[in-house]
Amino acid sequence: MCKLPKPTLSEFLEQFILPGRLEKIRSVLAQRTRHLTVVLEDIFQPQNASAALRTCECFGIQDVHIIENENSFEINPDVVMGASKWLSLYQYNQQEHNTLQCLESLRSKGYRLIATSPIAGAQPLQQLDISQKTALIFGNELKGLSDQARQLAHGFIHIPMTGFTESFNISVSVAICLHHLSNRLRNSEINWQLSPEDHQQLLTNWLKLSLRNPDALVNYFMKKESIA
């Protein structure tokens, strides 16, 4: 007689989630991607940083990389509206050259580094090739991108504008770029979905976030499995 496979932790936790909530988790997870990621360099206004995180979550971008050189990253809870807990946030603030650490790490993982800047020669957003994994780098509100970020970038894009003003607010720039690129990505033949391993890990994490006392349930499951 064949033994039934043991349930996974996520299968165990699903028993304690309302059906409607579980369906929502699965539908959101199906649209999550790590093909596109966002890098925020030295953002100093909490409302802008928080609005950018909320935008990433809304457009299904899972990873946000936060570089802290001169400014500490702060979240405004009234703006982010809980969106940050569903994201994977990576903060770089322990090194002398945090920008270098972040961008070299992304490069080693196969990301093409694209800086957003209205400089001469920057490619229009609509023409950006996203067939390769792409990290969009946004600079701070006053100085823009650092020289180091510009030097490490593989390319530059800009959002075409027809007014007198040179650039959008940082959170607006993130929203415009992600609206355009995420739609293009999902309507393409690119394999943008999460890997099975990432899918399973996020499912388990989100189930925990949806429960009142997840630690007690996880401990019960682990003890039960160790006895079996």
Side-chain angles (χ1 to χ4, degrees), residues 5-16 26 200 203-204 207 221:
K6 292 183 179 180
T8 63
L9 176 57
S10 62
E11 289 171 337
F12 171 74
L13 295 176
E14 285 174 4
Q15 303 173 73
F16 304 95
R26 291 190 177 280
Q200 185 62 41
L203 173 59
T204 302
L207 290 170
F221 175 82

Side-chain angles (χ1 to χ4, degrees), residues 119-166:
I119 63 172
Q123 185 180 34
L125 169 65
Q126 294 86 341
Q127 296 179 14
L128 179 64
D129 179 6
I130 54 172
S131 58
Q132 182 180 340
K133 291 196 301 182
T134 302
L136 300 173
I137 313 167
F138 297 87
N140 80 18
E141 298 88 336
L142 293 178
K143 300 178 182 178
L145 292 166
S146 67
D147 290 339
Q148 190 169 52
R150 292 172 184 268
Q151 292 167 4
L152 292 171
H154 294 113
F156 295 83
I157 59 169
H158 72 95
I159 302 170
M161 302 174 65
T162 55
F164 290 107
T165 309
E166 185 181 65

Side-chain angles (χ1 to χ4, degrees), residues 91-103:
Q91 292 180 255
Y92 303 81
N93 53 24
Q94 301 296 315
Q95 304 294 324
E96 181 180 357
H97 302 292
N98 296 305
T99 295
L100 177 64
Q101 180 195 9
C102 174
L103 299 187

Side-chain angles (χ1 to χ4, degrees), residues 12-74:
F12 171 74
L13 295 176
E14 285 174 4
Q15 303 173 73
F16 304 95
I17 303 290
L18 291 173
R21 182 61 174 176
L22 182 57
E23 182 180 357
K24 179 65 174 178
I25 290 173
R26 291 190 177 280
S27 66
V28 172
L29 191 54
Q31 293 298 316
R32 271 297 198 263
T33 187
R34 283 185 156 135
H35 189 86
L36 292 177
T37 191
V38 165
V39 178
L40 303 176
E41 185 188 39
D42 238 13
I43 307 300
F44 68 86
Q45 293 185 344
Q47 64 268 29
N48 284 336
S50 302
L53 295 186
R54 186 172 173 180
T55 295
C56 288
E57 204 286 317
C58 287
F59 286 119
I61 307 302
Q62 183 58 35
D63 297 334
V64 181
H65 298 262
I66 301 158
I67 299 170
E68 301 171 77
N69 289 324
E70 299 178 6
N71 305 303
S72 297
F73 184 80
E74 296 181 15

Side-chain angles (χ1 to χ4, degrees), residues 98-119:
N98 296 305
T99 295
L100 177 64
Q101 180 195 9
C102 174
L103 299 187
E104 286 292 350
S105 174
L106 287 168
R107 189 201 300 265
S108 71
K109 295 173 183 174
Y111 282 93
R112 185 171 175 233
L113 307 176
I114 300 298
T116 58
S117 177
I119 63 172

Side-chain angles (χ1 to χ4, degrees), residues 147-198:
D147 290 339
Q148 190 169 52
R150 292 172 184 268
Q151 292 167 4
L152 292 171
H154 294 113
F156 295 83
I157 59 169
H158 72 95
I159 302 170
M161 302 174 65
T162 55
F164 290 107
T165 309
E166 185 181 65
S167 63
F168 288 103
N169 172 280
I170 180 66
S171 61
V172 174
S173 295
V174 173
I176 292 173
C177 289
L178 293 186
H179 177 265
H180 177 77
L181 296 178
S182 64
N183 281 337
R184 276 180 53 198
L185 189 65
R186 291 185 175 87
N187 290 317
S188 72
E189 299 298 322
I190 298 168
N191 181 20
W192 55 266
Q193 292 88 350
L194 295 171
S195 69
E197 295 77 17
D198 287 346

